[in-house]
Amino acid sequence: MTDMRQITIQATDIEALAEAEGRIACLIPGDGKLGTGARRLNRLTKGAVQRAVDSERFAKMKEGDLLSLAFPVGLAAEGVDLVKLDRRCDAQDARMAGGAIGRAAGTKALTVLAENGRHTEEVVLGVALRSYEFTARKSEPGETPKPAVIHCAKPEDVEAAALPRLAVAEGSLFTRDLVNEPANVLNTVEFAERLKGLSDLGVEVEVLDEAKMEELGMGAFLAVSVGSETPAQFVVMKWNGGGDEAPLALVGKGVVFDTGGISIKPSAGMESMTMDMGGAGTVAGTMRALAKRKAKANVVGLVGLVENMPDGRAYRPGDVLTSMKGDTIEVISTDAEGRLVLADVLWYAQQTFKPSGIIDLATLTGACIVALGNDNAAVFASDDAFGGKLLNAAKAEGEGAWRLPFGKPYADLIKSDIADIKNSGGRAAGTITAAEFLKCFVEDDVPWCHIDIAGVATTSKDTGLAPKGATGWGVRTLDRLVRDGFETE
């Protein structure tokens, strides 16, 4: 796993500022009033900090924006970053301010003067998330970020609040590493091996092979695998941190590479299909975060790992598959493979664990990107209360999510003439018909949410909390949902 920046929290030490190396970041409220650390910086830089804060440029800055002073006189540091952040800021502003600080620092040593600001733990989270860079496949891997020290007025309180947030950051980075890996490195077997490593944190990990899946009747899942040289793997991860209550089940699509199978995709852009295991990556990162912070909840993560390849043995359009549930599925497109994997995993989750609720995540449809772009995941909910809790968690964490509807007209689009259901309803409402397909494999009395993360799992440009590439979307949201709604006292 990519090394996360080490972050320590201590009481403000203004005497250490002159010799601090790398970069110094200082949080400045909108009124420009300098705190203890900022006043010390101002004296050391012979008034440069105050001049910058009094400037028209600082006045026009938004919350979380950053103004840099390069090679300031009087300091060993090569730069001072003044970050505008009101003392009454919300958590999202603080998180984004931390992201700006982490981005400016790069891999250099970092000192942050948090003063008496609110949500310092979110600043810490932002620094950790934005200090990430995936370089594992380069001939010369990048430098591990040097440590950061957060100076604040109440270090004990900040540290207590920051430690669980750092666990979430670690889970998010674990997800990013998995999603960023190329398929020749992260095949199904290697993916399963990495998930076995979660046992070191107390997660119970079980890997079901193809023989076991065949015994269970997972004909939909296994059909996707037959064209690949690497076998399908079904990984079940259990975190038992609660009491005797039924677990929350998290289900992830893990297609490590998707050619589209016989319904092969266009070659342009196919290289991005290494990210088609993003749902499984998010589930894995969430399980890591929950274990790292020792969440007082019972959560089971289930991921179906498979590769969708064209081959003489591959399944074909027109085939009829039998799912674990027993429902038959007419294959219209072999490029609608993720829902076939999820159908069997969802059914297994219900029959085995009797969960209190299920959330599945998948890079399921290109139609989701057409509908919502790259700013929001599509959310479907069979239960309004459950769906509302999920959307509230996403909002609190600043991860875009938007609810889309179910409905009989959409369900009618996936009726089959020769089987119980077909795996594609065509181009119209493609994201919704995919959700309607999955809904057929969820029992009516089980609260369930489906999240299509096709547009948010990766980004083609830098963002406030992530560099270009995998974002780790969903780890923060799912951790928040567990923390607010499923943890025992």
Side-chain angles (χ1 to χ4, degrees), residues 236-250 287 290 297-302 348-350 352-359 386 446-447 482 485-486:
V236 180
M237 299 162 281
K238 291 182 282 186
W239 173 252
N240 300 311
D244 297 327
E245 69 274 6
L248 171 69
L250 306 178
M287 297 304 293
L290 296 175
N298 295 334
V299 182
V300 57
L302 308 97
Y348 178 91
Q350 294 163 91
T352 305
F353 296 104
K354 307 298 181 185
S356 59
I358 303 178
I359 298 171
F386 192 41
V446 178
V482 171
F486 289 88

PDB file of all heavy atoms in Angstrom, residues 236-250 287 290 297-302 348-350 352-359 386 446-447 482 485-486:
ATOM      1  N   VAL A 236     -15.198 -12.777   1.093  1.00  0.00           N
ATOM      2  CA  VAL A 236     -16.107 -12.340   2.152  1.00  0.00           C
ATOM      3  C   VAL A 236     -15.270 -11.847   3.327  1.00  0.00           C
ATOM      4  O   VAL A 236     -14.406 -12.562   3.837  1.00  0.00           O
ATOM      5  CB  VAL A 236     -17.026 -13.496   2.612  1.00  0.00           C
ATOM      6  CG1 VAL A 236     -17.967 -13.028   3.720  1.00  0.00           C
ATOM      7  CG2 VAL A 236     -17.818 -14.045   1.425  1.00  0.00           C
ATOM      8  N   MET A 237     -15.508 -10.595   3.734  1.00  0.00           N
ATOM      9  CA  MET A 237     -14.756  -9.975   4.834  1.00  0.00           C
ATOM     10  C   MET A 237     -15.729  -9.628   5.955  1.00  0.00           C
ATOM     11  O   MET A 237     -16.703  -8.907   5.730  1.00  0.00           O
ATOM     12  CB  MET A 237     -14.061  -8.702   4.329  1.00  0.00           C
ATOM     13  CG  MET A 237     -13.061  -8.936   3.207  1.00  0.00           C
ATOM     14  SD  MET A 237     -12.656  -7.405   2.297  1.00  0.00           S
ATOM     15  CE  MET A 237     -14.104  -7.278   1.224  1.00  0.00           C
ATOM     16  N   LYS A 238     -15.449 -10.115   7.152  1.00  0.00           N
ATOM     17  CA  LYS A 238     -16.359  -9.875   8.278  1.00  0.00           C
ATOM     18  C   LYS A 238     -15.652  -9.082   9.368  1.00  0.00           C
ATOM     19  O   LYS A 238     -14.584  -9.483   9.851  1.00  0.00           O
ATOM     20  CB  LYS A 238     -16.866 -11.207   8.843  1.00  0.00           C
ATOM     21  CG  LYS A 238     -17.797 -11.955   7.907  1.00  0.00           C
ATOM     22  CD  LYS A 238     -18.320 -13.240   8.520  1.00  0.00           C
ATOM     23  CE  LYS A 238     -17.272 -14.342   8.457  1.00  0.00           C
ATOM     24  NZ  LYS A 238     -17.799 -15.643   8.910  1.00  0.00           N
ATOM     25  N   TRP A 239     -16.283  -7.961   9.755  1.00  0.00           N
ATOM     26  CA  TRP A 239     -15.813  -7.183  10.906  1.00  0.00           C
ATOM     27  C   TRP A 239     -16.882  -7.299  11.991  1.00  0.00           C
ATOM     28  O   TRP A 239     -18.012  -6.812  11.816  1.00  0.00           O
ATOM     29  CB  TRP A 239     -15.574  -5.716  10.537  1.00  0.00           C
ATOM     30  CG  TRP A 239     -15.246  -4.892  11.759  1.00  0.00           C
ATOM     31  CD1 TRP A 239     -16.035  -3.971  12.371  1.00  0.00           C
ATOM     32  CD2 TRP A 239     -14.039  -4.954  12.531  1.00  0.00           C
ATOM     33  NE1 TRP A 239     -15.424  -3.451  13.472  1.00  0.00           N
ATOM     34  CE2 TRP A 239     -14.190  -4.030  13.594  1.00  0.00           C
ATOM     35  CE3 TRP A 239     -12.865  -5.687  12.435  1.00  0.00           C
ATOM     36  CZ2 TRP A 239     -13.187  -3.837  14.552  1.00  0.00           C
ATOM     37  CZ3 TRP A 239     -11.880  -5.505  13.390  1.00  0.00           C
ATOM     38  CH2 TRP A 239     -12.045  -4.581  14.419  1.00  0.00           C
ATOM     39  N   ASN A 240     -16.529  -7.930  13.074  1.00  0.00           N
ATOM     40  CA  ASN A 240     -17.476  -8.157  14.172  1.00  0.00           C
ATOM     41  C   ASN A 240     -17.108  -7.272  15.353  1.00  0.00           C
ATOM     42  O   ASN A 240     -16.514  -7.717  16.328  1.00  0.00           O
ATOM     43  CB  ASN A 240     -17.462  -9.634  14.571  1.00  0.00           C
ATOM     44  CG  ASN A 240     -17.859 -10.546  13.434  1.00  0.00           C
ATOM     45  OD1 ASN A 240     -18.875 -10.318  12.783  1.00  0.00           O
ATOM     46  ND2 ASN A 240     -17.047 -11.557  13.157  1.00  0.00           N
ATOM     47  N   GLY A 241     -17.479  -5.999  15.262  1.00  0.00           N
ATOM     48  CA  GLY A 241     -17.150  -5.049  16.319  1.00  0.00           C
ATOM     49  C   GLY A 241     -18.336  -4.688  17.188  1.00  0.00           C
ATOM     50  O   GLY A 241     -18.195  -3.916  18.150  1.00  0.00           O
ATOM     51  N   GLY A 242     -19.510  -5.213  16.862  1.00  0.00           N
ATOM     52  CA  GLY A 242     -20.711  -4.882  17.616  1.00  0.00           C
ATOM     53  C   GLY A 242     -21.135  -5.996  18.547  1.00  0.00           C
ATOM     54  O   GLY A 242     -20.305  -6.766  19.051  1.00  0.00           O
ATOM     55  N   GLY A 243     -22.429  -6.102  18.756  1.00  0.00           N
ATOM     56  CA  GLY A 243     -22.968  -7.125  19.647  1.00  0.00           C
ATOM     57  C   GLY A 243     -23.507  -8.288  18.841  1.00  0.00           C
ATOM     58  O   GLY A 243     -22.824  -8.835  17.977  1.00  0.00           O
ATOM     59  N   ASP A 244     -24.760  -8.642  19.119  1.00  0.00           N
ATOM     60  CA  ASP A 244     -25.388  -9.778  18.443  1.00  0.00           C
ATOM     61  C   ASP A 244     -26.269  -9.348  17.271  1.00  0.00           C
ATOM     62  O   ASP A 244     -26.951 -10.179  16.665  1.00  0.00           O
ATOM     63  CB  ASP A 244     -26.243 -10.571  19.440  1.00  0.00           C
ATOM     64  CG  ASP A 244     -25.402 -11.163  20.560  1.00  0.00           C
ATOM     65  OD1 ASP A 244     -24.237 -11.512  20.293  1.00  0.00           O
ATOM     66  OD2 ASP A 244     -25.917 -11.266  21.694  1.00  0.00           O
ATOM     67  N   GLU A 245     -26.258  -8.060  16.948  1.00  0.00           N
ATOM     68  CA  GLU A 245     -27.143  -7.574  15.895  1.00  0.00           C
ATOM     69  C   GLU A 245     -26.720  -8.081  14.516  1.00  0.00           C
ATOM     70  O   GLU A 245     -25.554  -8.416  14.283  1.00  0.00           O
ATOM     71  CB  GLU A 245     -27.188  -6.038  15.889  1.00  0.00           C
ATOM     72  CG  GLU A 245     -25.899  -5.347  15.452  1.00  0.00           C
ATOM     73  CD  GLU A 245     -24.903  -5.145  16.574  1.00  0.00           C
ATOM     74  OE1 GLU A 245     -25.143  -5.643  17.695  1.00  0.00           O
ATOM     75  OE2 GLU A 245     -23.877  -4.480  16.324  1.00  0.00           O
ATOM     76  N   ALA A 246     -27.705  -8.139  13.611  1.00  0.00           N
ATOM     77  CA  ALA A 246     -27.417  -8.551  12.236  1.00  0.00           C
ATOM     78  C   ALA A 246     -26.485  -7.532  11.593  1.00  0.00           C
ATOM     79  O   ALA A 246     -26.561  -6.332  11.874  1.00  0.00           O
ATOM     80  CB  ALA A 246     -28.722  -8.652  11.447  1.00  0.00           C
ATOM     81  N   PRO A 247     -25.597  -7.982  10.719  1.00  0.00           N
ATOM     82  CA  PRO A 247     -24.629  -7.058  10.135  1.00  0.00           C
ATOM     83  C   PRO A 247     -25.214  -6.206   9.016  1.00  0.00           C
ATOM     84  O   PRO A 247     -26.223  -6.564   8.398  1.00  0.00           O
ATOM     85  CB  PRO A 247     -23.552  -7.991   9.568  1.00  0.00           C
ATOM     86  CG  PRO A 247     -24.328  -9.216   9.183  1.00  0.00           C
ATOM     87  CD  PRO A 247     -25.390  -9.368  10.250  1.00  0.00           C
ATOM     88  N   LEU A 248     -24.569  -5.094   8.759  1.00  0.00           N
ATOM     89  CA  LEU A 248     -24.771  -4.347   7.526  1.00  0.00           C
ATOM     90  C   LEU A 248     -23.913  -5.023   6.462  1.00  0.00           C
ATOM     91  O   LEU A 248     -22.749  -5.347   6.713  1.00  0.00           O
ATOM     92  CB  LEU A 248     -24.334  -2.894   7.704  1.00  0.00           C
ATOM     93  CG  LEU A 248     -24.280  -2.033   6.432  1.00  0.00           C
ATOM     94  CD1 LEU A 248     -25.683  -1.785   5.894  1.00  0.00           C
ATOM     95  CD2 LEU A 248     -23.576  -0.711   6.707  1.00  0.00           C
ATOM     96  N   ALA A 249     -24.469  -5.263   5.285  1.00  0.00           N
ATOM     97  CA  ALA A 249     -23.716  -5.910   4.211  1.00  0.00           C
ATOM     98  C   ALA A 249     -23.337  -4.890   3.148  1.00  0.00           C
ATOM     99  O   ALA A 249     -24.190  -4.126   2.671  1.00  0.00           O
ATOM    100  CB  ALA A 249     -24.535  -7.035   3.583  1.00  0.00           C
ATOM    101  N   LEU A 250     -22.064  -4.879   2.787  1.00  0.00           N
ATOM    102  CA  LEU A 250     -21.544  -4.031   1.715  1.00  0.00           C
ATOM    103  C   LEU A 250     -21.095  -4.950   0.585  1.00  0.00           C
ATOM    104  O   LEU A 250     -20.284  -5.856   0.798  1.00  0.00           O
ATOM    105  CB  LEU A 250     -20.363  -3.195   2.208  1.00  0.00           C
ATOM    106  CG  LEU A 250     -20.604  -2.339   3.451  1.00  0.00           C
ATOM    107  CD1 LEU A 250     -19.323  -1.604   3.854  1.00  0.00           C
ATOM    108  CD2 LEU A 250     -21.738  -1.340   3.223  1.00  0.00           C
ATOM    109  N   MET A 287     -13.831  -1.526   4.741  1.00  0.00           N
ATOM    110  CA  MET A 287     -13.547  -2.557   5.743  1.00  0.00           C
ATOM    111  C   MET A 287     -12.226  -2.265   6.452  1.00  0.00           C
ATOM    112  O   MET A 287     -12.106  -2.460   7.672  1.00  0.00           O
ATOM    113  CB  MET A 287     -13.512  -3.937   5.094  1.00  0.00           C
ATOM    114  CG  MET A 287     -14.827  -4.387   4.463  1.00  0.00           C
ATOM    115  SD  MET A 287     -16.246  -4.390   5.592  1.00  0.00           S
ATOM    116  CE  MET A 287     -15.771  -5.705   6.712  1.00  0.00           C
ATOM    117  N   LEU A 290     -12.892   0.670   8.921  1.00  0.00           N
ATOM    118  CA  LEU A 290     -13.657   0.239  10.097  1.00  0.00           C
ATOM    119  C   LEU A 290     -12.778  -0.549  11.057  1.00  0.00           C
ATOM    120  O   LEU A 290     -12.865  -0.385  12.286  1.00  0.00           O
ATOM    121  CB  LEU A 290     -14.848  -0.607   9.661  1.00  0.00           C
ATOM    122  CG  LEU A 290     -15.916   0.102   8.819  1.00  0.00           C
ATOM    123  CD1 LEU A 290     -16.973  -0.897   8.358  1.00  0.00           C
ATOM    124  CD2 LEU A 290     -16.560   1.253   9.579  1.00  0.00           C
ATOM    125  N   ALA A 297     -19.415  -2.003  15.389  1.00  0.00           N
ATOM    126  CA  ALA A 297     -20.520  -2.398  14.523  1.00  0.00           C
ATOM    127  C   ALA A 297     -20.174  -3.725  13.857  1.00  0.00           C
ATOM    128  O   ALA A 297     -18.999  -4.091  13.748  1.00  0.00           O
ATOM    129  CB  ALA A 297     -20.777  -1.327  13.462  1.00  0.00           C
ATOM    130  N   ASN A 298     -21.187  -4.432  13.414  1.00  0.00           N
ATOM    131  CA  ASN A 298     -20.999  -5.649  12.639  1.00  0.00           C
ATOM    132  C   ASN A 298     -21.223  -5.317  11.162  1.00  0.00           C
ATOM    133  O   ASN A 298     -22.316  -4.873  10.777  1.00  0.00           O
ATOM    134  CB  ASN A 298     -21.977  -6.734  13.075  1.00  0.00           C
ATOM    135  CG  ASN A 298     -21.744  -7.191  14.498  1.00  0.00           C
ATOM    136  OD1 ASN A 298     -20.628  -7.098  15.011  1.00  0.00           O
ATOM    137  ND2 ASN A 298     -22.781  -7.690  15.155  1.00  0.00           N
ATOM    138  N   VAL A 299     -20.199  -5.507  10.375  1.00  0.00           N
ATOM    139  CA  VAL A 299     -20.269  -5.197   8.942  1.00  0.00           C
ATOM    140  C   VAL A 299     -19.610  -6.334   8.176  1.00  0.00           C
ATOM    141  O   VAL A 299     -18.524  -6.801   8.544  1.00  0.00           O
ATOM    142  CB  VAL A 299     -19.561  -3.867   8.611  1.00  0.00           C
ATOM    143  CG1 VAL A 299     -19.688  -3.554   7.124  1.00  0.00           C
ATOM    144  CG2 VAL A 299     -20.124  -2.714   9.445  1.00  0.00           C
ATOM    145  N   VAL A 300     -20.263  -6.777   7.112  1.00  0.00           N
ATOM    146  CA  VAL A 300     -19.675  -7.797   6.250  1.00  0.00           C
ATOM    147  C   VAL A 300     -19.511  -7.207   4.855  1.00  0.00           C
ATOM    148  O   VAL A 300     -20.428  -6.567   4.324  1.00  0.00           O
ATOM    149  CB  VAL A 300     -20.537  -9.080   6.223  1.00  0.00           C
ATOM    150  CG1 VAL A 300     -21.956  -8.804   5.769  1.00  0.00           C
ATOM    151  CG2 VAL A 300     -19.898 -10.138   5.340  1.00  0.00           C
ATOM    152  N   GLY A 301     -18.323  -7.369   4.295  1.00  0.00           N
ATOM    153  CA  GLY A 301     -18.055  -6.900   2.938  1.00  0.00           C
ATOM    154  C   GLY A 301     -17.910  -8.095   2.006  1.00  0.00           C
ATOM    155  O   GLY A 301     -17.177  -9.048   2.307  1.00  0.00           O
ATOM    156  N   LEU A 302     -18.615  -8.063   0.874  1.00  0.00           N
ATOM    157  CA  LEU A 302     -18.589  -9.179  -0.076  1.00  0.00           C
ATOM    158  C   LEU A 302     -18.253  -8.627  -1.459  1.00  0.00           C
ATOM    159  O   LEU A 302     -18.937  -7.710  -1.949  1.00  0.00           O
ATOM    160  CB  LEU A 302     -19.940  -9.891  -0.126  1.00  0.00           C
ATOM    161  CG  LEU A 302     -20.535 -10.351   1.215  1.00  0.00           C
ATOM    162  CD1 LEU A 302     -21.547  -9.337   1.736  1.00  0.00           C
ATOM    163  CD2 LEU A 302     -21.178 -11.719   1.079  1.00  0.00           C
ATOM    164  N   TYR A 348     -26.421 -14.298  -2.173  1.00  0.00           N
ATOM    165  CA  TYR A 348     -25.610 -14.991  -1.166  1.00  0.00           C
ATOM    166  C   TYR A 348     -25.586 -14.193   0.141  1.00  0.00           C
ATOM    167  O   TYR A 348     -25.709 -14.770   1.234  1.00  0.00           O
ATOM    168  CB  TYR A 348     -24.185 -15.180  -1.684  1.00  0.00           C
ATOM    169  CG  TYR A 348     -23.255 -15.843  -0.688  1.00  0.00           C
ATOM    170  CD1 TYR A 348     -23.095 -17.227  -0.673  1.00  0.00           C
ATOM    171  CD2 TYR A 348     -22.525 -15.083   0.229  1.00  0.00           C
ATOM    172  CE1 TYR A 348     -22.240 -17.840   0.240  1.00  0.00           C
ATOM    173  CE2 TYR A 348     -21.675 -15.688   1.142  1.00  0.00           C
ATOM    174  CZ  TYR A 348     -21.536 -17.059   1.148  1.00  0.00           C
ATOM    175  OH  TYR A 348     -20.685 -17.646   2.062  1.00  0.00           O
ATOM    176  N   ALA A 349     -25.412 -12.885   0.047  1.00  0.00           N
ATOM    177  CA  ALA A 349     -25.343 -12.042   1.243  1.00  0.00           C
ATOM    178  C   ALA A 349     -26.606 -12.174   2.076  1.00  0.00           C
ATOM    179  O   ALA A 349     -26.549 -12.282   3.317  1.00  0.00           O
ATOM    180  CB  ALA A 349     -25.124 -10.580   0.843  1.00  0.00           C
ATOM    181  N   GLN A 350     -27.755 -12.195   1.428  1.00  0.00           N
ATOM    182  CA  GLN A 350     -29.020 -12.293   2.158  1.00  0.00           C
ATOM    183  C   GLN A 350     -29.234 -13.676   2.753  1.00  0.00           C
ATOM    184  O   GLN A 350     -29.661 -13.808   3.909  1.00  0.00           O
ATOM    185  CB  GLN A 350     -30.181 -11.958   1.215  1.00  0.00           C
ATOM    186  CG  GLN A 350     -30.181 -10.505   0.754  1.00  0.00           C
ATOM    187  CD  GLN A 350     -31.057 -10.313  -0.468  1.00  0.00           C
ATOM    188  OE1 GLN A 350     -32.241 -10.019  -0.359  1.00  0.00           O
ATOM    189  NE2 GLN A 350     -30.481 -10.505  -1.649  1.00  0.00           N
ATOM    190  N   THR A 352     -27.023 -15.920   3.541  1.00  0.00           N
ATOM    191  CA  THR A 352     -25.989 -16.332   4.489  1.00  0.00           C
ATOM    192  C   THR A 352     -25.996 -15.500   5.761  1.00  0.00           C
ATOM    193  O   THR A 352     -25.831 -16.031   6.869  1.00  0.00           O
ATOM    194  CB  THR A 352     -24.602 -16.249   3.832  1.00  0.00           C
ATOM    195  OG1 THR A 352     -24.608 -17.013   2.625  1.00  0.00           O
ATOM    196  CG2 THR A 352     -23.511 -16.766   4.762  1.00  0.00           C
ATOM    197  N   PHE A 353     -26.203 -14.186   5.630  1.00  0.00           N
ATOM    198  CA  PHE A 353     -26.003 -13.294   6.779  1.00  0.00           C
ATOM    199  C   PHE A 353     -27.287 -12.648   7.311  1.00  0.00           C
ATOM    200  O   PHE A 353     -27.257 -12.046   8.382  1.00  0.00           O
ATOM    201  CB  PHE A 353     -24.995 -12.198   6.418  1.00  0.00           C
ATOM    202  CG  PHE A 353     -23.626 -12.738   6.112  1.00  0.00           C
ATOM    203  CD1 PHE A 353     -23.173 -12.818   4.805  1.00  0.00           C
ATOM    204  CD2 PHE A 353     -22.804 -13.185   7.129  1.00  0.00           C
ATOM    205  CE1 PHE A 353     -21.918 -13.331   4.516  1.00  0.00           C
ATOM    206  CE2 PHE A 353     -21.544 -13.693   6.856  1.00  0.00           C
ATOM    207  CZ  PHE A 353     -21.094 -13.772   5.545  1.00  0.00           C
ATOM    208  N   LYS A 354     -28.387 -12.752   6.580  1.00  0.00           N
ATOM    209  CA  LYS A 354     -29.630 -12.101   7.014  1.00  0.00           C
ATOM    210  C   LYS A 354     -29.345 -10.668   7.480  1.00  0.00           C
ATOM    211  O   LYS A 354     -29.628 -10.291   8.613  1.00  0.00           O
ATOM    212  CB  LYS A 354     -30.298 -12.894   8.148  1.00  0.00           C
ATOM    213  CG  LYS A 354     -30.517 -14.360   7.841  1.00  0.00           C
ATOM    214  CD  LYS A 354     -31.448 -14.567   6.658  1.00  0.00           C
ATOM    215  CE  LYS A 354     -31.681 -16.046   6.379  1.00  0.00           C
ATOM    216  NZ  LYS A 354     -32.488 -16.279   5.151  1.00  0.00           N
ATOM    217  N   PRO A 355     -28.784  -9.836   6.621  1.00  0.00           N
ATOM    218  CA  PRO A 355     -28.300  -8.515   7.044  1.00  0.00           C
ATOM    219  C   PRO A 355     -29.430  -7.557   7.389  1.00  0.00           C
ATOM    220  O   PRO A 355     -30.569  -7.703   6.925  1.00  0.00           O
ATOM    221  CB  PRO A 355     -27.527  -8.020   5.820  1.00  0.00           C
ATOM    222  CG  PRO A 355     -28.190  -8.704   4.666  1.00  0.00           C
ATOM    223  CD  PRO A 355     -28.579 -10.061   5.176  1.00  0.00           C
ATOM    224  N   SER A 356     -29.085  -6.556   8.200  1.00  0.00           N
ATOM    225  CA  SER A 356     -30.042  -5.511   8.552  1.00  0.00           C
ATOM    226  C   SER A 356     -30.266  -4.555   7.388  1.00  0.00           C
ATOM    227  O   SER A 356     -31.263  -3.834   7.346  1.00  0.00           O
ATOM    228  CB  SER A 356     -29.534  -4.724   9.768  1.00  0.00           C
ATOM    229  OG  SER A 356     -28.274  -4.134   9.491  1.00  0.00           O
ATOM    230  N   GLY A 357     -29.338  -4.538   6.453  1.00  0.00           N
ATOM    231  CA  GLY A 357     -29.442  -3.717   5.262  1.00  0.00           C
ATOM    232  C   GLY A 357     -28.297  -4.065   4.331  1.00  0.00           C
ATOM    233  O   GLY A 357     -27.301  -4.653   4.746  1.00  0.00           O
ATOM    234  N   ILE A 358     -28.470  -3.740   3.055  1.00  0.00           N
ATOM    235  CA  ILE A 358     -27.435  -4.010   2.057  1.00  0.00           C
ATOM    236  C   ILE A 358     -27.178  -2.741   1.251  1.00  0.00           C
ATOM    237  O   ILE A 358     -28.122  -2.040   0.857  1.00  0.00           O
ATOM    238  CB  ILE A 358     -27.845  -5.120   1.077  1.00  0.00           C
ATOM    239  CG1 ILE A 358     -28.188  -6.418   1.808  1.00  0.00           C
ATOM    240  CG2 ILE A 358     -26.745  -5.380   0.062  1.00  0.00           C
ATOM    241  CD1 ILE A 358     -28.641  -7.520   0.870  1.00  0.00           C
ATOM    242  N   ILE A 359     -25.907  -2.476   0.989  1.00  0.00           N
ATOM    243  CA  ILE A 359     -25.520  -1.424   0.056  1.00  0.00           C
ATOM    244  C   ILE A 359     -24.563  -2.044  -0.952  1.00  0.00           C
ATOM    245  O   ILE A 359     -23.574  -2.668  -0.565  1.00  0.00           O
ATOM    246  CB  ILE A 359     -24.822  -0.254   0.772  1.00  0.00           C
ATOM    247  CG1 ILE A 359     -25.762   0.397   1.781  1.00  0.00           C
ATOM    248  CG2 ILE A 359     -24.332   0.791  -0.241  1.00  0.00           C
ATOM    249  CD1 ILE A 359     -25.084   1.422   2.676  1.00  0.00           C
ATOM    250  N   PHE A 386     -33.638   4.347   4.862  1.00  0.00           N
ATOM    251  CA  PHE A 386     -32.280   3.855   4.646  1.00  0.00           C
ATOM    252  C   PHE A 386     -31.560   4.709   3.596  1.00  0.00           C
ATOM    253  O   PHE A 386     -30.409   5.123   3.775  1.00  0.00           O
ATOM    254  CB  PHE A 386     -32.344   2.391   4.207  1.00  0.00           C
ATOM    255  CG  PHE A 386     -31.025   1.672   4.210  1.00  0.00           C
ATOM    256  CD1 PHE A 386     -30.098   1.853   5.223  1.00  0.00           C
ATOM    257  CD2 PHE A 386     -30.716   0.780   3.191  1.00  0.00           C
ATOM    258  CE1 PHE A 386     -28.883   1.166   5.227  1.00  0.00           C
ATOM    259  CE2 PHE A 386     -29.513   0.080   3.178  1.00  0.00           C
ATOM    260  CZ  PHE A 386     -28.596   0.288   4.199  1.00  0.00           C
ATOM    261  N   VAL A 446     -35.848  -6.406   2.827  1.00  0.00           N
ATOM    262  CA  VAL A 446     -34.470  -6.039   3.149  1.00  0.00           C
ATOM    263  C   VAL A 446     -34.190  -4.615   2.675  1.00  0.00           C
ATOM    264  O   VAL A 446     -34.256  -4.349   1.469  1.00  0.00           O
ATOM    265  CB  VAL A 446     -33.464  -7.010   2.488  1.00  0.00           C
ATOM    266  CG1 VAL A 446     -32.025  -6.579   2.791  1.00  0.00           C
ATOM    267  CG2 VAL A 446     -33.703  -8.432   2.967  1.00  0.00           C
ATOM    268  N   PRO A 447     -33.884  -3.686   3.578  1.00  0.00           N
ATOM    269  CA  PRO A 447     -33.502  -2.336   3.147  1.00  0.00           C
ATOM    270  C   PRO A 447     -32.247  -2.421   2.272  1.00  0.00           C
ATOM    271  O   PRO A 447     -31.251  -3.049   2.653  1.00  0.00           O
ATOM    272  CB  PRO A 447     -33.223  -1.606   4.466  1.00  0.00           C
ATOM    273  CG  PRO A 447     -33.956  -2.381   5.512  1.00  0.00           C
ATOM    274  CD  PRO A 447     -33.901  -3.811   5.052  1.00  0.00           C
ATOM    275  N   VAL A 482     -21.964   4.075   8.897  1.00  0.00           N
ATOM    276  CA  VAL A 482     -21.783   3.104   9.985  1.00  0.00           C
ATOM    277  C   VAL A 482     -21.657   3.829  11.311  1.00  0.00           C
ATOM    278  O   VAL A 482     -22.275   3.438  12.316  1.00  0.00           O
ATOM    279  CB  VAL A 482     -20.548   2.224   9.712  1.00  0.00           C
ATOM    280  CG1 VAL A 482     -20.218   1.364  10.935  1.00  0.00           C
ATOM    281  CG2 VAL A 482     -20.777   1.343   8.501  1.00  0.00           C
ATOM    282  N   GLY A 485     -25.145   5.436  12.216  1.00  0.00           N
ATOM    283  CA  GLY A 485     -26.369   4.658  12.248  1.00  0.00           C
ATOM    284  C   GLY A 485     -26.280   3.204  12.666  1.00  0.00           C
ATOM    285  O   GLY A 485     -27.313   2.564  12.892  1.00  0.00           O
ATOM    286  N   PHE A 486     -25.044   2.664  12.805  1.00  0.00           N
ATOM    287  CA  PHE A 486     -24.944   1.234  13.066  1.00  0.00           C
ATOM    288  C   PHE A 486     -24.052   0.879  14.238  1.00  0.00           C
ATOM    289  O   PHE A 486     -24.004  -0.297  14.617  1.00  0.00           O
ATOM    290  CB  PHE A 486     -24.442   0.515  11.813  1.00  0.00           C
ATOM    291  CG  PHE A 486     -25.461   0.471  10.706  1.00  0.00           C
ATOM    292  CD1 PHE A 486     -25.540   1.502   9.787  1.00  0.00           C
ATOM    293  CD2 PHE A 486     -26.358  -0.579  10.604  1.00  0.00           C
ATOM    294  CE1 PHE A 486     -26.484   1.497   8.771  1.00  0.00           C
ATOM    295  CE2 PHE A 486     -27.296  -0.611   9.598  1.00  0.00           C
ATOM    296  CZ  PHE A 486     -27.372   0.427   8.680  1.00  0.00           C
TER     297      PHE A 486
END
